[in-house]
Amino acid sequence: MNGASREALAAARERLDALTDNTSVDAAKLAGELAAVTALLDREVSLRRVLTDPAQAGEAKAELATRLLSGQVGGETVDLVSGMVRSRWSYSRDLVDSLEELANTADLTAAQKAGSLDDVEDELFRFGRIVASSTELRAALTDRAATASAKAELLRGLLGGKTVPATERLVVRLVTQPRGRSLEAGLESLSKLAAERRDRMVAVVTSAVPLSDQQKQRLGAVLAKLYGRQMHLNLDVDPTVLGGISVRVGDEVINGTVANRLDEAARRLAG
């Protein structure tokens, strides 16, 4: 996002934080309602365009949103969405993307309040690895011919009772409302959003054998010093790396595996 949309999203994040700081607000319920509004505006293109039309007065757009949503969702959600449509958006799609982010953030906030945000981060990563290792599961979850309810039922069977509630809600929403993204991209986006709730970055660490607690603490400290922020480690074991570790932070890869060094030596010999 850029320009007006970036400013509008920043303002909406502040309003969401103010709402969820209130102990009387059910963050999980708010997340579900924001997700429902996201789905509505994603589906109703003409409505989305009206609500983001720069030629229309902000107050008129807020009144329209209030009339449409009152009685369908709670007052907090109505107020939040009305405030968002008062703002200017560079593109109508940015409003929907921002609503989706706020819905996910509200669910992560619910997990944070319950003391289970670390669990959500770990479970999202583990689920991603399971999907990556099972072509059948990935095919079932991304099958365009399958209904959203069938996919949700499959996921609830896989995750129900095995993950914290917020993880299940986030994954079900991602799979049933992909909005043009790949499953992998959506999971990575959720992981980053979860890390940001603690002002931490995510490092995907691949090693031949599991790291000890001491090794994890040492690596986390080194990466935090290197990047200037606390680091959440998503740990993956892959025997094919032979030895050493590979660390990916965003688009940057620090590869110190034996397999990589062997590949590099082979390339030099071939050259």
Side-chain angles (χ1 to χ4, degrees):
M1 292 184 191
N2 53 43
S5 290
R6 186 168 58 245
E7 293 177 8
L9 175 55
R13 285 170 176 160
E14 290 183 5
R15 288 194 291 269
L16 176 67
D17 286 343
L19 271 176
T20 53
D21 281 346
N22 188 332
T23 56
S24 67
V25 173
D26 185 339
K29 179 174 179 287
L30 182 62
E33 292 179 349
L34 288 169
V37 178
T38 301
L40 170 66
L41 296 185
D42 190 52
R43 184 174 63 250
E44 301 294 339
V45 179
S46 59
L47 174 59
R48 183 172 78 227
R49 288 174 177 164
V50 169
L51 292 175
T52 56
D53 184 356
Q56 300 296 321
E59 196 57 40
K61 290 183 287 186
E63 289 176 1
L64 173 59
T66 300
R67 288 199 304 273
L68 288 171
L69 298 177
S70 293
Q72 307 299 315
V73 295
E76 293 90 356
T77 302
V78 173
D79 290 343
L80 186 56
V81 175
S82 296
M84 292 177 74
V85 302
R86 282 191 185 94
S87 300
R88 291 180 65 86
W89 297 89
S90 303
Y91 301 98
S92 65
R93 191 77 175 174
D94 290 348
L95 172 61
V96 187
D97 291 342
S98 297
L99 278 165
E100 182 180 54
E101 180 188 309
L102 295 189
N104 292 334
T105 298
D107 254 331
L108 292 169
T109 301
Q112 190 172 34
K113 286 183 173 181
S116 57
L117 184 55
D118 281 346
D119 292 329
V120 173
E121 290 182 90
D122 291 335
E123 288 165 359
L124 287 171
F125 177 71
R126 288 202 301 271
F127 181 73
R129 303 311 296 170
I130 291 170
V131 170
S133 65
S134 174
T135 54
E136 293 84 359
L137 176 59
R138 188 185 186 284
L141 294 177
T142 58
D143 183 2
R144 294 184 179 182
T147 64
S149 58
K151 293 177 183 178
E153 184 177 355
L154 172 60
L155 285 169
R156 291 187 179 108
L158 288 170
L159 304 177
K162 303 179 185 69
T163 64
V164 298
T167 303
E168 182 179 336
R169 292 193 298 268
L170 289 165
V171 173
V172 168
R173 201 152 60 228
L174 171 64
V175 170
T176 57
Q177 301 173 36
R179 302 189 55 239
R181 293 160 305 192
S182 70
L183 181 54
E184 292 80 4
L187 287 169
E188 183 172 358
S189 177
L190 287 173
S191 293
K192 288 180 179 178
L193 197 60
E196 288 170 2
R197 289 304 302 165
R198 293 186 185 275
D199 193 29
R200 299 187 300 182
M201 299 180 73
V202 176
V204 178
V205 180
T206 304
S207 58
V209 296
L211 300 182
S212 68
D213 289 342
Q214 185 177 16
Q215 288 172 319
K216 287 184 282 188
Q217 290 173 4
R218 188 183 306 127
L219 178 60
V222 169
L223 291 172
K225 185 176 181 180
L226 179 63
Y227 287 92
R229 291 176 64 184
Q230 288 298 306
M231 195 70 63
H232 175 76
L233 304 183
N234 280 337
L235 305 172
D236 190 24
V237 175
D238 182 0
T240 64
V241 304
L242 302 181
I245 62 172
S246 172
V247 179
R248 179 170 61 84
V249 180
D251 295 328
E252 184 175 359
V253 177
I254 306 169
N255 200 326
T257 64
V258 172
N260 184 68
R261 293 197 292 272
L262 290 174
D263 287 343
E264 179 62 25
R267 284 193 294 270
R268 290 179 180 177
L269 287 172

